[in-house]
Amino acid sequence: LTAIEPLSLAIERFPHQAKFYAARAVLLARTGQGDAAKRDIQVALELPASAIVNYQIASALLLNEPTAEEQLLAMGLLKQTLQQQPELA
C-alpha cells in the first residue's frame, strides 16, 4: 500500500475536499507522475481550499517542472497563504 492509495480512497469518498487532491498531487509530483499531479491540481483549484491546501497546491506545481504561468500561479498561492497565515513564514 503506497501513500497515494489511501488518498485515492479518500477522494472517492470525499470528492469535494481539495485537501485530498492537493496532498495526492504533491505525492504524484514527487514520484514523477506529473500529468496525474496536474489533473489533481486542476481539481483542487476548483474547490474551496484553506491556506495549507493552497500551500500544498503551490508545492505540487513547483515540483512538477512548472511553466512560467504555473510558477506565477504558485507564487500567488504562496503569497495568499502567507497573508492568511503569516506564522508559516
Side-chain angles (χ1 to χ4, degrees):
L1 190 66
T2 69
I4 293 171
E5 291 167 350
L7 289 168
S8 296
L9 292 172
I11 287 168
E12 286 178 27
R13 189 161 182 198
F14 305 103
H16 301 294
Q17 294 286 323
K19 64 184 176 182
F20 298 124
Y21 291 98
R24 188 171 71 175
V26 170
L27 292 175
L28 290 167
R30 291 186 71 183
T31 58
Q33 299 175 64
D35 290 339
K38 285 185 180 191
R39 286 191 296 273
D40 278 359
I41 289 166
Q42 288 303 321
V43 175
L45 286 170
E46 294 173 9
L47 298 169
S50 67
I52 295 297
V53 171
N54 284 335
Y55 179 84
Q56 287 180 303
I57 295 169
S59 298
L61 282 166
L62 295 172
L63 285 167
N64 199 29
E65 298 182 24
T67 64
E69 182 179 321
E70 291 168 337
Q71 289 175 7
L72 287 174
L73 175 58
M75 292 301 117
L77 289 169
L78 290 173
K79 179 180 178 183
Q80 182 182 353
T81 296
L82 293 175
Q83 287 172 339
Q84 292 173 346
Q85 291 191 310
E87 68 274 11
L88 294 175

Coordinates of all heavy atoms in Angstrom, one line a residue:
L1 N 0.8 -1.2 0.0 CA 0.0 0.0 0.0 C 0.9 1.2 0.0 O 1.7 1.5 0.9 CB -0.9 0.0 1.2 CG -2.0 1.0 1.3 CD1 -3.1 0.7 0.3 CD2 -2.7 0.9 2.7
T2 N 0.8 2.0 -1.1 CA 1.6 3.3 -1.1 C 0.8 4.4 -0.5 O -0.4 4.3 -0.2 CB 1.9 3.7 -2.6 OG1 0.7 4.1 -3.2 CG2 2.5 2.5 -3.4
A3 N 1.5 5.5 -0.2 CA 0.8 6.7 0.4 C -0.3 7.2 -0.6 O -1.2 7.9 -0.1 CB 1.8 7.7 0.7
I4 N -0.1 7.0 -1.8 CA -1.1 7.5 -2.8 C -2.4 6.8 -2.7 O -3.5 7.4 -2.9 CB -0.5 7.5 -4.2 CG1 0.7 8.4 -4.3 CG2 -1.6 7.8 -5.3 CD1 1.5 8.3 -5.6
E5 N -2.4 5.5 -2.4 CA -3.7 4.8 -2.4 C -4.7 5.2 -1.4 O -5.8 5.4 -1.7 CB -3.3 3.3 -2.3 CG -2.7 2.7 -3.5 CD -2.0 1.3 -3.3 OE1 -1.9 0.9 -2.2 OE2 -1.6 0.8 -4.3
P6 N -4.3 5.5 -0.1 CA -5.3 6.0 0.8 C -5.8 7.3 0.4 O -7.0 7.6 0.7 CB -4.5 6.1 2.1 CG -3.3 5.2 2.0 CD -3.0 5.2 0.5
L7 N -5.0 8.2 -0.2 CA -5.6 9.5 -0.7 C -6.6 9.3 -1.8 O -7.6 10.0 -1.9 CB -4.4 10.4 -1.2 CG -3.5 10.9 0.0 CD1 -2.3 11.5 -0.6 CD2 -4.3 11.9 0.8
S8 N -6.3 8.3 -2.7 CA -7.3 8.0 -3.7 C -8.6 7.5 -3.1 O -9.7 7.9 -3.6 CB -6.7 6.9 -4.7 OG -5.5 7.4 -5.4
L9 N -8.5 6.7 -2.1 CA -9.7 6.2 -1.4 C -10.5 7.4 -0.8 O -11.7 7.5 -0.8 CB -9.4 5.2 -0.4 CG -8.9 3.8 -0.9 CD1 -8.4 2.9 0.2 CD2 -10.0 3.1 -1.7
A10 N -9.7 8.3 -0.2 CA -10.3 9.5 0.4 C -11.0 10.3 -0.6 O -12.1 10.9 -0.4 CB -9.3 10.3 1.2
I11 N -10.4 10.5 -1.8 CA -11.0 11.2 -2.9 C -12.3 10.6 -3.4 O -13.3 11.3 -3.6 CB -10.0 11.4 -4.0 CG1 -8.9 12.4 -3.6 CG2 -10.7 11.9 -5.3 CD1 -7.7 12.5 -4.5
E12 N -12.3 9.3 -3.4 CA -13.5 8.5 -3.8 C -14.6 8.8 -2.8 O -15.8 9.0 -3.2 CB -13.3 7.0 -3.9 CG -12.5 6.6 -5.1 CD -12.2 5.1 -5.1 OE1 -13.0 4.4 -4.5 OE2 -11.2 4.7 -5.7
R13 N -14.3 8.8 -1.6 CA -15.3 9.0 -0.5 C -15.7 10.5 -0.3 O -16.8 10.8 0.0 CB -14.7 8.5 0.8 CG -15.7 8.4 1.9 CD -15.4 7.5 3.0 NE -16.4 7.5 4.0 CZ -16.3 7.1 5.2 NH1 -15.2 6.6 5.6 NH2 -17.3 7.1 6.0
F14 N -14.7 11.4 -0.5 CA -15.0 12.8 -0.3 C -14.5 13.6 -1.5 O -13.5 14.3 -1.4 CB -14.2 13.3 1.0 CG -14.6 12.5 2.2 CD1 -13.7 11.6 2.7 CD2 -15.8 12.7 2.9 CE1 -14.0 10.9 3.9 CE2 -16.1 12.0 4.0 CZ -15.2 11.1 4.5
P15 N -15.2 13.5 -2.6 CA -14.7 14.1 -3.9 C -14.7 15.6 -3.9 O -14.1 16.2 -4.8 CB -15.6 13.6 -4.9 CG -16.9 13.2 -4.2 CD -16.4 12.8 -2.8
H16 N -15.3 16.3 -2.9 CA -15.3 17.7 -2.9 C -14.4 18.3 -1.8 O -14.5 19.5 -1.4 CB -16.7 18.2 -2.6 CG -17.7 17.7 -3.6 ND1 -17.7 18.1 -5.0 CD2 -18.7 16.8 -3.6 CE1 -18.6 17.5 -5.6 NE2 -19.3 16.7 -4.8
Q17 N -13.4 17.6 -1.4 CA -12.4 18.0 -0.4 C -11.0 18.3 -1.2 O -10.3 17.3 -1.5 CB -12.2 17.0 0.6 CG -13.4 16.7 1.5 CD -13.6 17.9 2.5 OE1 -12.6 18.4 3.0 NE2 -14.8 18.2 2.7
A18 N -10.7 19.5 -1.3 CA -9.5 19.9 -2.0 C -8.2 19.4 -1.4 O -7.2 19.1 -2.0 CB -9.4 21.4 -2.1
K19 N -8.3 19.2 0.0 CA -7.1 18.8 0.7 C -6.6 17.4 0.2 O -5.4 17.2 0.2 CB -7.3 18.8 2.2 CG -8.3 17.8 2.7 CD -8.6 17.9 4.2 CE -9.7 17.0 4.7 NZ -9.9 17.2 6.1
F20 N -7.5 16.5 -0.2 CA -7.0 15.2 -0.6 C -6.4 15.3 -2.0 O -5.4 14.6 -2.3 CB -8.2 14.2 -0.6 CG -8.8 14.0 0.8 CD1 -10.1 14.2 1.1 CD2 -7.9 13.6 1.9 CE1 -10.6 14.0 2.3 CE2 -8.5 13.4 3.1 CZ -9.8 13.7 3.4
Y21 N -7.0 16.1 -2.9 CA -6.4 16.2 -4.2 C -5.0 16.9 -4.1 O -4.1 16.5 -4.8 CB -7.3 17.1 -5.1 CG -8.6 16.4 -5.5 CD1 -9.8 16.7 -4.8 CD2 -8.6 15.5 -6.6 CE1 -11.0 16.0 -5.2 CE2 -9.8 14.9 -6.9 CZ -11.0 15.2 -6.2 OH -12.2 14.6 -6.6
A22 N -4.9 17.9 -3.3 CA -3.6 18.6 -3.1 C -2.6 17.7 -2.6 O -1.4 17.7 -3.1 CB -3.8 19.8 -2.3
A23 N -2.9 16.9 -1.6 CA -1.9 16.0 -1.0 C -1.5 15.0 -2.0 O -0.3 14.7 -2.1 CB -2.5 15.4 0.3
R24 N -2.4 14.4 -2.7 CA -2.1 13.4 -3.7 C -1.2 14.1 -4.8 O -0.3 13.4 -5.3 CB -3.3 12.8 -4.3 CG -3.0 11.5 -5.1 CD -4.2 10.7 -5.5 NE -5.0 11.5 -6.5 CZ -6.1 10.9 -7.1 NH1 -6.5 9.7 -6.7 NH2 -6.8 11.6 -7.9
A25 N -1.6 15.3 -5.2 CA -0.8 16.0 -6.2 C 0.7 16.1 -5.8 O 1.6 15.9 -6.7 CB -1.4 17.3 -6.6
V26 N 0.9 16.5 -4.6 CA 2.3 16.6 -4.1 C 3.0 15.2 -4.2 O 4.1 15.1 -4.7 CB 2.4 17.1 -2.6 CG1 3.8 17.0 -2.1 CG2 1.9 18.5 -2.5
L27 N 2.4 14.2 -3.8 CA 3.0 12.8 -3.8 C 3.2 12.4 -5.3 O 4.3 11.8 -5.6 CB 2.1 11.8 -3.1 CG 2.1 12.0 -1.6 CD1 1.1 10.9 -1.0 CD2 3.5 11.8 -1.0
L28 N 2.2 12.7 -6.1 CA 2.4 12.3 -7.6 C 3.5 13.1 -8.2 O 4.3 12.5 -8.9 CB 1.1 12.6 -8.3 CG -0.1 11.6 -8.0 CD1 -1.4 12.2 -8.5 CD2 0.2 10.2 -8.5
A29 N 3.6 14.4 -7.9 CA 4.7 15.2 -8.5 C 6.1 14.7 -8.0 O 7.0 14.6 -8.7 CB 4.5 16.6 -8.1
R30 N 6.1 14.3 -6.7 CA 7.4 13.9 -6.1 C 7.8 12.5 -6.7 O 9.0 12.2 -6.6 CB 7.3 13.8 -4.6 CG 7.2 15.1 -3.9 CD 7.2 15.1 -2.5 NE 8.6 14.7 -2.1 CZ 9.0 14.5 -0.8 NH1 8.1 14.6 0.1 NH2 10.2 14.2 -0.6
T31 N 6.9 11.7 -7.2 CA 7.2 10.4 -7.8 C 7.3 10.4 -9.3 O 7.2 9.4 -9.9 CB 6.2 9.3 -7.3 OG1 4.9 9.7 -7.6 CG2 6.3 9.2 -5.8
G32 N 7.3 11.6 -9.9 CA 7.5 11.7 -11.3 C 6.2 11.5 -12.1 O 6.3 11.3 -13.3
Q33 N 5.1 11.6 -11.5 CA 3.8 11.4 -12.2 C 3.2 12.7 -12.5 O 2.1 13.0 -12.0 CB 2.9 10.5 -11.4 CG 3.5 9.1 -11.2 CD 2.7 8.2 -10.3 OE1 1.6 7.9 -10.7 NE2 3.2 7.9 -9.1
G34 N 3.9 13.6 -13.3 CA 3.5 14.9 -13.5 C 2.1 15.2 -14.1 O 1.4 16.1 -13.6
D35 N 1.7 14.4 -15.1 CA 0.4 14.6 -15.7 C -0.7 14.3 -14.7 O -1.7 15.0 -14.6 CB 0.3 13.7 -16.9 CG 1.2 14.1 -18.1 OD1 1.6 15.3 -18.1 OD2 1.4 13.3 -18.9
A36 N -0.6 13.2 -13.9 CA -1.6 12.9 -12.9 C -1.6 14.0 -11.8 O -2.7 14.4 -11.4 CB -1.3 11.6 -12.3
A37 N -0.4 14.5 -11.5 CA -0.4 15.6 -10.5 C -1.1 16.8 -11.0 O -1.9 17.5 -10.3 CB 1.1 15.9 -10.1
K38 N -0.9 17.2 -12.3 CA -1.6 18.3 -12.8 C -3.1 18.2 -12.9 O -3.8 19.1 -12.6 CB -1.0 18.6 -14.2 CG 0.3 19.2 -14.2 CD 0.8 19.6 -15.6 CE 2.2 20.2 -15.5 NZ 2.6 20.8 -16.8
R39 N -3.6 17.0 -13.1 CA -5.0 16.7 -13.0 C -5.5 17.0 -11.6 O -6.6 17.6 -11.5 CB -5.3 15.3 -13.5 CG -5.2 15.1 -15.0 CD -5.8 13.8 -15.5 NE -5.1 12.7 -15.0 CZ -4.0 12.1 -15.5 NH1 -3.5 12.6 -16.6 NH2 -3.4 11.0 -15.0
D40 N -4.8 16.5 -10.6 CA -5.3 16.7 -9.3 C -5.2 18.2 -8.9 O -6.1 18.7 -8.2 CB -4.5 15.9 -8.3 CG -5.0 14.5 -8.2 OD1 -6.0 14.1 -8.8 OD2 -4.4 13.7 -7.4
I41 N -4.2 18.9 -9.4 CA -4.0 20.3 -9.1 C -5.2 21.1 -9.7 O -5.8 21.9 -9.0 CB -2.7 20.9 -9.7 CG1 -1.5 20.3 -8.9 CG2 -2.7 22.4 -9.7 CD1 -0.2 20.5 -9.6
Q42 N -5.6 20.7 -10.9 CA -6.7 21.4 -11.5 C -8.0 21.2 -10.7 O -8.8 22.2 -10.5 CB -6.9 20.9 -13.0 CG -5.9 21.4 -13.9 CD -5.8 22.9 -14.0 OE1 -6.8 23.6 -13.9 NE2 -4.6 23.4 -14.0
V43 N -8.3 20.0 -10.2 CA -9.5 19.8 -9.4 C -9.4 20.5 -8.1 O -10.3 21.2 -7.7 CB -9.7 18.3 -9.2 CG1 -10.8 18.0 -8.2 CG2 -9.9 17.5 -10.5
A44 N -8.2 20.5 -7.5 CA -8.1 21.2 -6.2 C -8.3 22.7 -6.3 O -8.9 23.3 -5.5 CB -6.7 20.9 -5.6
L45 N -7.8 23.2 -7.4 CA -8.0 24.7 -7.7 C -9.5 25.1 -7.8 O -9.8 26.2 -7.6 CB -7.2 25.1 -8.9 CG -5.7 25.2 -8.7 CD1 -5.0 25.4 -10.0 CD2 -5.3 26.3 -7.7
E46 N -10.3 24.1 -8.2 CA -11.7 24.4 -8.4 C -12.6 24.3 -7.2 O -13.7 24.7 -7.1 CB -12.3 23.5 -9.5 CG -11.7 23.7 -10.9 CD -12.1 22.7 -11.9 OE1 -13.0 21.9 -11.6 OE2 -11.5 22.7 -13.0
L47 N -12.0 23.8 -6.1 CA -12.7 23.6 -4.9 C -12.2 24.6 -3.8 O -11.1 25.1 -3.9 CB -12.4 22.1 -4.4 CG -12.8 21.0 -5.3 CD1 -12.3 19.7 -4.8 CD2 -14.3 20.9 -5.3
P48 N -13.1 24.8 -2.8 CA -12.7 25.7 -1.7 C -11.5 25.1 -1.0 O -11.4 23.9 -0.8 CB -13.9 25.7 -0.8 CG -15.1 25.2 -1.6 CD -14.5 24.4 -2.7
A49 N -10.5 26.0 -0.6 CA -9.3 25.5 0.0 C -8.8 26.4 1.1 O -9.0 27.6 1.0 CB -8.2 25.3 -1.1
S50 N -8.2 25.8 2.1 CA -7.6 26.5 3.2 C -6.2 27.0 2.7 O -5.7 26.6 1.7 CB -7.5 25.6 4.4 OG -6.5 24.6 4.1
A51 N -5.6 27.8 3.6 CA -4.3 28.3 3.3 C -3.3 27.1 3.2 O -2.4 27.2 2.3 CB -3.8 29.3 4.4
I52 N -3.4 26.1 4.0 CA -2.5 25.0 4.0 C -2.7 24.2 2.7 O -1.7 23.8 2.0 CB -2.7 24.1 5.2 CG1 -2.3 24.8 6.5 CG2 -1.9 22.8 5.0 CD1 -0.9 25.2 6.6
V53 N -3.9 24.1 2.2 CA -4.1 23.4 1.0 C -3.6 24.2 -0.2 O -2.9 23.6 -1.1 CB -5.6 23.1 0.8 CG1 -5.9 22.6 -0.6 CG2 -6.1 22.1 1.8
N54 N -3.7 25.5 -0.2 CA -3.1 26.3 -1.2 C -1.6 26.2 -1.2 O -0.9 26.2 -2.3 CB -3.5 27.8 -1.0 CG -4.9 28.1 -1.5 OD1 -5.4 27.4 -2.4 ND2 -5.5 29.1 -1.0
Y55 N -1.0 26.1 0.0 CA 0.5 25.8 0.1 C 0.8 24.5 -0.6 O 1.8 24.4 -1.3 CB 0.9 25.8 1.5 CG 2.3 25.6 1.8 CD1 3.2 26.6 1.7 CD2 2.8 24.3 2.1 CE1 4.6 26.4 2.0 CE2 4.1 24.1 2.3 CZ 5.0 25.1 2.2 OH 6.4 24.9 2.4
Q56 N 0.0 23.5 -0.4 CA 0.3 22.2 -1.0 C 0.1 22.2 -2.5 O 0.9 21.6 -3.2 CB -0.7 21.1 -0.4 CG -0.4 20.7 1.0 CD -1.4 19.6 1.4 OE1 -2.6 19.9 1.4 NE2 -0.9 18.5 1.9
I57 N -0.9 23.0 -3.0 CA -1.1 23.1 -4.4 C 0.1 23.8 -5.0 O 0.7 23.4 -6.1 CB -2.4 23.9 -4.7 CG1 -3.6 23.1 -4.3 CG2 -2.5 24.2 -6.2 CD1 -4.9 23.8 -4.3
A58 N 0.6 24.9 -4.4 CA 1.8 25.6 -4.9 C 3.0 24.7 -4.9 O 3.8 24.7 -5.9 CB 2.1 26.8 -4.0
S59 N 3.2 23.9 -3.9 CA 4.3 22.9 -3.8 C 4.2 21.9 -4.9 O 5.2 21.7 -5.6 CB 4.3 22.2 -2.5 OG 4.5 23.1 -1.4
A60 N 3.1 21.4 -5.2 CA 2.9 20.4 -6.3 C 3.2 21.1 -7.6 O 3.9 20.4 -8.5 CB 1.5 19.8 -6.3
L61 N 2.8 22.3 -7.8 CA 3.1 23.0 -9.0 C 4.6 23.2 -9.2 O 5.1 22.9 -10.3 CB 2.4 24.4 -9.1 CG 0.9 24.4 -9.4 CD1 0.3 25.8 -9.0 CD2 0.7 24.1 -10.8
L62 N 5.3 23.5 -8.2 CA 6.7 23.8 -8.3 C 7.5 22.6 -8.4 O 8.7 22.6 -8.9 CB 7.1 24.7 -7.1 CG 6.5 26.1 -7.1 CD1 6.8 26.9 -5.9 CD2 6.9 26.9 -8.4
L63 N 7.0 21.4 -7.9 CA 7.7 20.2 -8.0 C 7.6 19.5 -9.4 O 8.3 18.6 -9.7 CB 7.2 19.2 -7.0 CG 7.5 19.4 -5.6 CD1 6.6 18.5 -4.7 CD2 9.0 19.0 -5.3
N64 N 6.8 20.1 -10.3 CA 6.4 19.4 -11.5 C 6.8 20.1 -12.7 O 6.1 20.3 -13.7 CB 4.9 19.3 -11.4 CG 4.3 18.3 -12.4 OD1 5.0 17.3 -12.7 ND2 3.1 18.5 -12.8
E65 N 8.1 20.6 -12.8 CA 8.6 21.3 -14.0 C 7.6 22.3 -14.5 O 7.1 22.2 -15.6 CB 9.0 20.3 -15.1 CG 10.1 19.4 -14.7 CD 10.5 18.4 -15.8 OE1 10.3 18.8 -17.0 OE2 11.0 17.3 -15.5
P66 N 7.3 23.4 -13.7 CA 6.3 24.3 -14.0 C 6.6 25.2 -15.2 O 7.7 25.6 -15.4 CB 6.1 25.1 -12.7 CG 7.5 25.1 -12.1 CD 8.0 23.7 -12.4
T67 N 5.5 25.5 -15.9 CA 5.6 26.6 -16.9 C 5.7 27.9 -16.2 O 5.5 28.0 -15.0 CB 4.4 26.5 -17.8 OG1 3.2 26.9 -17.0 CG2 4.2 25.2 -18.5
A68 N 6.0 29.0 -17.0 CA 6.0 30.3 -16.4 C 4.7 30.7 -15.8 O 4.6 31.2 -14.7 CB 6.4 31.3 -17.5
E69 N 3.6 30.3 -16.4 CA 2.3 30.6 -15.9 C 2.0 29.8 -14.6 O 1.5 30.4 -13.6 CB 1.2 30.1 -16.9 CG -0.2 30.4 -16.5 CD -1.2 30.0 -17.6 OE1 -0.9 30.2 -18.8 OE2 -2.3 29.5 -17.2
E70 N 2.5 28.6 -14.5 CA 2.3 27.8 -13.3 C 3.2 28.3 -12.2 O 2.8 28.3 -11.0 CB 2.6 26.3 -13.6 CG 1.6 25.6 -14.5 CD 2.1 24.3 -15.0 OE1 3.3 24.0 -15.0 OE2 1.2 23.5 -15.3
Q71 N 4.4 28.8 -12.5 CA 5.2 29.5 -11.5 C 4.5 30.7 -10.9 O 4.5 30.9 -9.7 CB 6.6 29.9 -12.1 CG 7.4 28.7 -12.4 CD 8.7 29.1 -13.1 OE1 9.0 30.3 -13.3 NE2 9.5 28.2 -13.6
L72 N 3.9 31.5 -11.8 CA 3.2 32.7 -11.3 C 2.0 32.3 -10.4 O 1.7 32.9 -9.4 CB 2.7 33.5 -12.5 CG 3.8 34.3 -13.2 CD1 3.2 35.0 -14.4 CD2 4.4 35.3 -12.3
L73 N 1.3 31.3 -10.8 CA 0.1 30.8 -10.0 C 0.6 30.3 -8.7 O 0.0 30.6 -7.6 CB -0.6 29.6 -10.8 CG -1.7 28.9 -10.0 CD1 -2.8 29.9 -9.6 CD2 -2.3 27.8 -10.9
A74 N 1.7 29.5 -8.6 CA 2.3 29.0 -7.4 C 2.7 30.2 -6.5 O 2.4 30.1 -5.3 CB 3.4 28.1 -7.7
M75 N 3.4 31.2 -7.0 CA 3.8 32.3 -6.2 C 2.6 33.1 -5.7 O 2.6 33.5 -4.5 CB 4.7 33.2 -7.0 CG 6.0 32.7 -7.4 SD 7.0 32.2 -6.0 CE 7.1 30.4 -6.2
G76 N 1.5 33.2 -6.5 CA 0.3 33.8 -6.0 C -0.3 33.1 -4.8 O -0.8 33.6 -3.9
L77 N -0.3 31.7 -5.0 CA -0.9 30.9 -3.9 C -0.1 31.0 -2.6 O -0.6 31.1 -1.5 CB -1.0 29.4 -4.4 CG -2.1 29.1 -5.4 CD1 -1.9 27.7 -6.0 CD2 -3.5 29.3 -4.8
L78 N 1.3 31.0 -2.8 CA 2.1 31.2 -1.6 C 1.9 32.5 -0.9 O 1.9 32.6 0.3 CB 3.6 30.9 -2.0 CG 4.0 29.5 -2.4 CD1 5.4 29.5 -2.9 CD2 3.8 28.6 -1.2
K79 N 1.8 33.6 -1.7 CA 1.6 34.9 -1.2 C 0.3 34.9 -0.4 O 0.2 35.4 0.7 CB 1.6 35.9 -2.3 CG 1.3 37.3 -1.8 CD 1.3 38.3 -3.0 CE 1.0 39.7 -2.5 NZ 0.9 40.7 -3.6
Q80 N -0.8 34.4 -1.0 CA -2.1 34.3 -0.3 C -2.0 33.5 1.0 O -2.6 33.9 2.0 CB -3.1 33.7 -1.3 CG -4.5 33.6 -0.8 CD -5.4 32.9 -1.8 OE1 -5.0 32.6 -2.9 NE2 -6.6 32.6 -1.4
T81 N -1.3 32.4 0.9 CA -1.1 31.6 2.1 C -0.5 32.4 3.2 O -0.9 32.3 4.4 CB -0.3 30.3 1.8 OG1 -1.0 29.5 0.9 CG2 0.0 29.5 3.0
L82 N 0.6 33.1 2.9 CA 1.3 33.8 3.9 C 0.6 35.0 4.5 O 0.7 35.4 5.6 CB 2.7 34.2 3.4 CG 3.7 33.1 3.2 CD1 5.0 33.5 2.5 CD2 3.9 32.3 4.4
Q83 N -0.3 35.6 3.6 CA -1.2 36.6 4.1 C -2.2 36.1 5.1 O -2.5 36.8 6.0 CB -1.8 37.3 2.9 CG -0.9 38.2 2.1 CD -1.5 38.7 0.8 OE1 -2.5 38.2 0.3 NE2 -1.0 39.8 0.3
Q84 N -2.7 34.9 4.8 CA -3.7 34.3 5.6 C -3.1 33.8 6.9 O -3.8 33.8 8.0 CB -4.5 33.2 4.9 CG -5.3 33.7 3.8 CD -6.0 32.6 3.0 OE1 -5.5 31.4 3.1 NE2 -6.9 32.9 2.1
Q85 N -1.9 33.2 6.8 CA -1.3 32.6 8.0 C 0.2 33.0 8.0 O 1.1 32.2 7.7 CB -1.4 31.1 7.9 CG -2.8 30.6 8.1 CD -2.9 29.1 8.3 OE1 -2.4 28.3 7.6 NE2 -3.6 28.7 9.4
P86 N 0.5 34.2 8.5 CA 1.9 34.7 8.5 C 2.8 33.8 9.3 O 4.1 33.9 9.1 CB 1.8 36.1 9.0 CG 0.4 36.3 9.5 CD -0.4 35.2 8.9
E87 N 2.3 33.1 10.3 CA 3.2 32.2 11.1 C 3.8 31.1 10.3 O 4.8 30.5 10.8 CB 2.4 31.7 12.3 CG 1.3 30.7 11.9 CD 0.0 31.3 11.5 OE1 -0.1 32.5 11.3 OE2 -1.0 30.5 11.4
L88 N 3.4 30.9 9.1 CA 4.0 29.9 8.3 C 5.3 30.3 7.6 O 6.1 29.5 7.1 CB 3.0 29.4 7.2 CG 1.8 28.7 7.6 CD1 0.9 28.4 6.5 CD2 2.1 27.4 8.4
A89 N 5.6 31.6 7.7 CA 6.8 32.2 7.0 C 8.0 31.7 7.8 O 8.1 31.5 8.9 CB 6.7 33.7 7.0

